[in-house]
Structure formats: structure tokens, C-alpha cells
Amino acid sequence: MTAGDSVENATAAGRSIRYWALIAVGLIVLQASILFAMGRLPICACGYVKLWHGVVQSSENSQHVTDWYTFSHIIHGFLFYGATWLLLPSLPWQGRLIAAMLVEVSWELVENSNWIIQRYRAGTVSLDYFGDSIVNSVSDTLSMIAGFLLARKLPLALTIALALSFEILVGLHIRDNLTLNIIMLIHPFEAIRLWQSGPPII
């Protein structure tokens, strides 16, 4: 390979990175725009933005940049990395990330529909939930991206250990996690709802 070939390859790689990054940014902008059109508030109705909000049973949950459910979205990234690796092996990892973003953004839009919001309020202990702010929803997608990139770099065993740790620790602290969230969304169980109404275990 000549020096000219190396420069040409580096230039092509740079163009490819910009191409995928542009699509990713476009999806984020599209997500925020659709949420705004749906009537979601850009930031918390309280009038300020916090980097972390740790009180689940409050009107500010899912309104700030990160919260206890951020860990669930990181796990989304772990799961989407594995799923796209299995189902889309011919795509470069950047293309598989875009596929994962399409799923995550779609879920964020569905999650903030009135039907799902009312489902959460009726079937879970999230009585103060009125949908995500746009900054929180976009942060959820960015957390998924972080999880995807972590799964790409970390050994499989460590990725699985992290996911299990997140689920167990978050579950014990707020009595909710990704697994319980899915169960209660699909088919609420009164026993789980009663258990979730208790104080933190750790």
C-alpha cells in the first residue's frame, strides 16, 4: 500500500464517520421535533434542569437529564448491540447502531403517547407520571447509545454482569427496573404493585 492509498483510505473513513454521525444526529433531532409536536415539554415544568433526579415517586421523575431509569436505557444498548450483532451481521457497527437508534427512538415516541402514559399510571405505582420531558427522552436515547458502545468494547461476561448488577441494585433501591417495567406494562400484577409501594430495600 502506497502513502497515497493510506491517505485515500483515511479520507474515506472520515467521510464514513461523518455520514453515520449525521444520520444519528438527524434521528435525535427528529425525535425531539416529534415529541414537541406531541405536546411534550422541552424541560421539566418546574422550570430548571438537573443532571440527576433520584426521587422516583415525584412529579419531576423522567423530567431531568438522568434518573434511576437511565440504567434501563443503558441495558437497552447492551441488548440492542447483541440483537443487531445476531440479526444484522453484514452491517458495520455504525449501521447497527443506527438500527438500534431507530428502535429506541420509536419506543420513546410510543412511550410518550397518551395511551402508554395512562397505562403506566393505571398499571404501576407511577401515579405522578405524565410523560417524559424532551430533554429526558433524548437523554434516554443517548444512554442507549452509551450502552451500545460499551457492549461493543467490553467482554461479553462483563456486559452481562453490568446488566444484572444494574437490574438488581436499581430494583432493590426503587423497587422497579427494566424487567419489572416490562412485566407491569404487559400485564400488571397486584402483588408486584403492592411490593413496589414499599420503601427502598437498600
Side-chain angles (χ1 to χ4, degrees):
M1 180 183 292
T2 66
D5 290 334
S6 297
V7 171
E8 185 175 334
N9 289 340
T11 302
R15 287 200 194 101
S16 177
I17 292 171
R18 287 194 296 272
Y19 168 77
W20 293 115
L22 195 60
I23 295 175
V25 171
L27 285 174
I28 295 289
V29 171
L30 181 63
Q31 174 185 348
S33 301
I34 294 176
L35 286 170
F36 186 75
M38 291 168 62
R40 297 292 103 211
L41 294 176
I43 64 171
C44 176
C46 59
Y48 51 83
V49 176
K50 294 193 292 187
L51 181 61
W52 168 262
H53 181 75
V55 182
V56 174
Q57 299 304 325
S58 76
S59 59
E60 292 186 37
N61 189 52
S62 296
Q63 300 302 302
H64 297 283
V65 178
T66 58
D67 51 47
W68 287 107
Y69 293 100
T70 298
F71 296 100
S72 292
H73 292 278
I74 294 173
I75 296 173
H76 285 183
F78 294 168
L79 295 172
F80 292 162
Y81 179 81
T84 56
W85 182 80
L86 287 171
L87 298 175
L88 303 169
S90 61
L91 275 182
W93 71 265
Q94 299 96 326
R96 290 189 279 117
L97 174 58
I98 295 301
M101 287 185 67
L102 284 169
V103 176
E104 183 75 8
V105 168
S106 298
W107 166 245
E108 285 296 318
L109 298 179
V110 171
E111 183 185 35
N112 284 283
S113 66
N114 289 330
W115 182 78
I116 291 292
I117 290 171
Q118 293 306 316
R119 178 76 174 175
Y120 272 129
R121 287 171 55 78
T124 72
V125 292
S126 303
L127 298 178
D128 289 323
Y129 182 68
F130 292 95
D132 299 350
S133 69
I134 294 175
V135 71
N136 178 264
S137 182
V138 168
S139 178
D140 287 346
T141 299
L142 294 176
S143 297
M144 185 283 296
I145 293 172
F148 187 100
L149 296 177
L150 276 173
R152 178 174 174 261
K153 290 295 186 180
L154 296 178
L156 176 61
L158 182 54
T159 302
I160 293 172
L162 275 176
L164 291 175
S165 298
F166 289 165
E167 282 290 89
I168 293 169
L169 294 174
V170 172
L172 291 175
H173 186 71
I174 68 169
R175 293 179 178 255
D176 200 9
N177 55 26
L178 179 59
T179 303
L180 290 174
N181 205 272
I182 293 171
I183 291 171
M184 294 299 281
L185 184 62
I186 295 173
H187 183 79
F189 290 92
E190 187 62 23
I192 294 178
R193 183 173 12 208
L194 288 173
W195 180 80
Q196 288 182 316
S197 64
I201 298 172
I202 59 171

